[in-house]
Amino acid sequence: MCGIVGYVGQQQAQGVVIEGLRRLEYRGYDSAGIALVHASEGRGALAADKRAGKLANLEKALDERPLPESSTGIGHTRWATHGAPNDRNAHPHLGAAGRLALVHNGIIENFAELRAELEQAGHELRSETDTEVAAHLLERELRDGADLTTAMQRICRRLAGAFTLVAVDAEDPDRVVAARRSSPLVVGLGEGENFLGSDVAAFIEHTREALELGQDQVVTLSRDDVSVTTFDGAPAEGTPYHVDWDLSAAEKDGHDWFMRKEIFEQPRAVADSLIGRRTPTGELHLDEVRLSDGDLRDIDKVIIIACGTSFYAGMVAKYAIEHWCRIPCEVELASEFRYRDPILTRETLVVAISQSGETADTLQAIRHARTQRSKVLAICNTNGSTIPRESDAVIYTHAGPEIGVASTKGFLTQLVACYLLALYLAQVKGTRYGDEITQVMNQLEQMPAHIQTVLEGAADVYALAQDYVDARSVLFLGRHAGFPVALEGALKLKELAYIHAEGFAAGELKHGPIALIEEGLPVWCVVPPRGRDQLHDKMVSGIQEVRARGARTICLAEAGDESITPYADALIRLPKVPVLLQPLVAAVPLQLFACELATLMGHDVDQPRNLAKSVTVE
Ligand code: M6R
């Protein structure tokens, strides 16, 4: 939700900032803007440009009218919260005298009262944003004699809400100052240059050495120095870390979309997320889980909190945890969690699943859980992000950077982490024998090859997408662990193709949704593997019921399952895997379908309308 870039060094800042914005554009693309500090008639001056719409609009404007040479700059790509996505509301925002430029991610909750205070003092605000208020406050501090760092500390103490702010002052041209509270910001440490970004993708081309900032901190960057303080001005320290992926991970690598590239990276991402999880004696070992076995043995309930696709990974986890660990597991939308007065005790393990580690709803939910003294374990793909930092324990997924707004490899690797957690709990609690755990681990380790097999059939799914390019509505049915897969398939289609799509538990169909079935309606059916229970056969009955009413059925069924053939208008084969692990293969054709359909419809797959990758506002 908004991408922020800052630079001070020896290179041309315009190029560095625009390139950083290009890599962060997935975070928001309602507008883009840049401000540079340059020398003019022996004094520092600001030069800025900002445009509604995608970064390309700003780039075109800069091609026609480049900004002056400068080696200090900030930039912003916006996901609108306060005020329409137009040029006026685009960032950067300037102070009243045009001395200070500011970019912002987050929401300043007390902006209305601050705005009233400024207007009473004669300030004229030009935009509808909360950000401009902070720009005027900052510049007023500068006018009163504070330097930019002190000014930032002072205003942050007055701001409520979650925010990252990055500012430059025309009269202090070699300095960029930033602040963060509950909103992402990382420092990139270079040689004779330093960077700021909402995430490391902003500067990965220049350096892989980063500095993680804590809560309520201000950071001041010059070419050769980075210093951190609290909002009160006390010295503080960031945590240095090395980024273990390189620029190629943030490029499309010959694919038309990041999303398609990320779908095809899934065998590797799943394999990487499984590496190093077993001891030489075969025991499961999760070294990032900083909770003692004693603590874990005492856990009597698991509550999973997450949003969107991560929530669906949590739904799959519930089946695994309850089956393998025999402890109750609830799954809750993070945005609802703390508003229902949940029952939490010291024996409750709260599991927060978040690809980005920055989702505001999930963050607030874990904060609430910790006030109730529950233990919080994060499943996260982003090192150093806020959610794992504020959790008692973490399992990192190793998907690498996910840039397509629609989550794909993030989802599959979250599933892997959920299975690992469930097996680990089962091991610690002794609810499964060691050889049972080993058997599931062996099955998990075969999943990358199975996912690869599904990907090799991508052409069949693409052909299906051709057939359904005019569909206005698509339904998805599943049972058991296939139900969250159905929900995920529907979410992918909604967010990318902008058509009505809904997922249902197949057994629930006859309680109402079957009324939606009409002639020609495409219905994807995730067929459970044949097993000892009746799940599979019940699903086959459900498929017959919708087909009898005119639906066109597209069935995802395991190899060799011929019982489905008479009722499938189209049949996509899945490798034979256990029912609990089937989501790892069944989700893939649904991702491919949504990606291809949206491409055929002419949509921007990586940057769907109205969305942003990290939702850092509640
Ligand atoms: O970063 P998170 O996993 O916390 O994000 C949660 C959701 O915002 C995210 O999964 C969203 O639903 C995706 N656009 C789905 O493709």
Side-chain angles (χ1 to χ4, degrees):
M1 206 127 287
C2 300
I4 285 186
V5 179
Y7 176 72
V8 53
Q10 293 143 3
Q11 304 186 55
Q12 284 302 322
Q14 179 173 317
V16 177
V17 169
I18 294 295
E19 193 50 44
L21 290 181
R22 190 171 301 125
R23 298 198 192 287
L24 293 189
E25 200 181 10
Y26 70 93
R27 301 180 70 93
Y29 28 86
D30 286 333
S31 64
I34 180 171
L36 305 177
V37 188
H38 67 105
S40 171
E41 296 164 6
R43 303 184 55 192
L46 287 181
D49 203 343
K50 51 187 191 171
R51 302 287 156 152
K54 295 201 171 174
L55 179 63
N57 295 354
L58 175 66
E59 288 183 286
K60 187 162 173 280
L62 292 173
D63 281 348
E64 287 162 11
R65 202 175 58 90
L67 298 180
E69 291 199 352
S70 156
S71 53
T72 305
I74 58 176
H76 188 267
T77 174
R78 178 172 188 237
W79 189 85
T81 56
H82 292 66
N86 54 29
D87 286 355
R88 201 158 39 90
N89 290 330
H91 300 213
H93 289 279
L94 305 187
R99 170 179 165 183
L100 173 125
L102 177 74
V103 293
H104 164 219
N105 175 24
I107 292 181
I108 297 168
E109 285 167 3
N110 57 340
F111 93 101
E113 68 190 66
L114 295 169
R115 185 179 179 118
E117 173 193 311
L118 285 164
E119 283 173 343
Q120 237 173 15
H123 287 248
E124 266 183 48
L125 290 121
R126 293 170 285 251
S127 76
E128 302 147 83
T129 64
D130 48 347
T131 312
E132 194 182 2
V133 168
H136 279 240
L137 289 174
L138 261 177
E139 198 184 72
R140 190 168 70 176
E141 295 290 343
L142 297 177
R143 189 198 62 198
D144 293 347
D147 63 21
L148 187 54
T149 305
T150 312
M152 186 67 92
Q153 292 159 351
R154 283 189 190 152
I155 74 146
C156 285
R157 295 200 291 267
R158 299 198 62 200
L159 304 182
F163 49 84
T164 300
L165 302 169
V166 183
V168 285
D169 172 8
E171 295 186 15
D172 192 358
D174 298 321
R175 197 185 324 206
V176 179
V177 175
R180 77 170 288 263
R181 168 182 284 163
S182 299
S183 187
L185 183 68
V186 236
V187 181
L189 303 167
E191 298 273 327
E193 57 183 356
N194 287 304
F195 306 81
L196 287 164
S198 299
D199 65 51
V200 295
F203 50 74
I204 192 71
E205 190 177 348
H206 305 283
T207 178
R208 290 165 70 185
E209 302 312 315
L211 190 73
E212 179 186 323
L213 297 172
Q215 234 3 302
D216 286 9
Q217 291 189 340
V218 169
V219 60
T220 304
L221 266 61
S222 63
R223 287 179 184 189
D224 300 310
D225 190 53
V226 172
S227 63
V228 185
T229 70
T230 64
F231 284 179
D232 291 327
E237 284 193 5
T239 314
Y241 67 101
H242 178 76
V243 182
D244 58 9
W245 50 271
D246 61 17
L247 183 61
S248 64
E251 311 243 292
K252 286 189 207 154
D253 199 19
H255 290 273
D256 52 351
W257 305 113
F258 277 109
M259 181 190 180
R260 207 183 306 266
K261 175 190 173 222
E262 288 160 5
I263 293 172
F264 280 88
E265 283 174 346
Q266 291 182 116
R268 201 254 327 128
V270 165
D272 286 356
S273 298
L274 284 165
I275 286 176
R277 307 297 195 179
R278 290 211 254 186
T279 64
T281 52
E283 286 209 310
L284 190 53
H285 157 78
L286 302 179
D287 57 0
E288 314 122 300
V289 175
R290 303 177 297 258
L291 294 173
S292 72
D293 284 0
D295 280 341
L296 290 176
R297 259 191 293 276
D298 290 343
I299 297 298
D300 61 10
K301 182 168 76 170
V302 176
I303 302 184
I304 299 177
I305 46 178
C307 303
T309 290
S310 303
F311 175 73
Y312 300 143
M315 287 178 73
V316 175
K318 175 182 166 72
Y319 291 95
I321 290 171
E322 292 191 339
H323 180 65
W324 289 330
C325 312
R326 307 310 299 151
I327 42 176
C329 176
E330 297 169 14
V331 193
E332 176 97 25
L333 288 169
S335 52
E336 291 293 320
F337 178 68
R338 65 196 169 112
Y339 301 105
R340 71 162 171 96
D341 198 10
I343 300 166
L344 294 159
T345 68
R346 285 170 194 264
E347 285 73 42
T348 308
L349 178 67
V350 172
V351 178
I353 308 179
S354 175
Q355 188 284 131
S356 62
E358 299 293 350
T359 300
D361 290 314
T362 312
L363 180 60
Q364 294 305 339
I366 66 168
R367 285 181 178 162
H368 177 74
R370 294 197 78 196
T371 64
Q372 307 298 299
R373 304 195 172 183
S374 294
K375 296 273 184 295
V376 176
L377 181 144
I379 290 178
C380 184
N381 192 42
T382 313
N383 264 65
S385 56
T386 311
I387 289 172
R389 215 176 31 234
E390 295 202 12
S391 300
D392 299 293
V394 58
I395 299 178
Y396 278 114
T397 53
H398 296 279
E402 190 179 63
I403 293 172
V405 164
S407 185
T408 53
K409 61 178 182 172
F411 178 60
L412 259 57
T413 55
Q414 286 168 346
L415 292 176
V416 170
C418 290
Y419 296 133
L420 290 172
L421 173 64
L423 291 171
Y424 190 67
L425 280 176
Q427 177 177 286
V428 171
K429 284 177 157 289
T431 51
R432 291 282 148 177
Y433 292 114
D435 54 353
E436 291 175 289
I437 293 170
T438 302
Q439 189 192 8
V440 182
M441 282 303 292
N442 291 344
Q443 288 163 340
L444 271 172
E445 282 165 1
Q446 287 162 19
M447 294 312 288
H450 290 319
I451 297 165
Q452 186 60 40
T453 305
V454 178
L455 288 169
E456 281 158 17
D460 295 342
V461 182
Y462 294 161
L464 269 174
Q466 289 272 5
D467 294 346
Y468 291 103
V469 82
D470 294 324
R472 299 314 320 143
S473 178
V474 181
L475 301 189
F476 295 77
L477 306 181
R479 291 192 79 113
H480 193 266
F483 170 40
V485 175
L487 294 171
E488 171 62 2
L491 177 61
K492 290 284 91 87
L493 212 54
K494 279 184 262 208
E495 63 183 337
L496 299 176
Y498 319 146
I499 59 176
H500 170 244
E502 264 187 275
F504 294 107
E508 193 57 19
L509 208 65
K510 52 194 172 299
H511 299 289
I514 201 161
L516 291 169
I517 306 291
E518 56 189 20
E519 199 59 39
L521 181 80
V523 181
W524 279 85
C525 308
V526 184
V527 183
R530 289 159 299 173
R532 273 165 301 174
D533 50 35
Q534 296 176 332
L535 267 182
H536 171 272
D537 297 352
K538 299 243 185 259
M539 184 72 195
V540 177
S541 307
I543 295 170
Q544 290 177 60
E545 285 158 19
V546 294
R547 197 153 187 272
R549 287 161 177 81
R552 285 191 284 169
T553 54
I554 310 164
C555 296
L556 284 173
E558 69 177 2
D561 180 0
E562 294 309 333
S563 62
I564 216 76
T565 316
Y567 317 114
D569 291 289
L571 190 50
I572 303 284
R573 289 298 186 183
L574 298 176
K576 270 170 89 72
V577 298
V579 64
L580 274 172
L581 305 190
Q582 198 196 39
L584 283 170
V585 286
V588 177
L590 305 183
Q591 299 167 342
L592 289 166
F593 181 72
C595 180
E596 184 66 6
L597 194 70
T599 306
L600 294 170
M601 293 168 91
H603 296 169
D604 185 333
V605 167
D606 285 334
Q607 296 176 354
R609 71 183 180 202
N610 302 337
L611 297 180
K613 183 72 181 162
S614 317
V615 184
T616 53
V617 293
E618 277 186 89

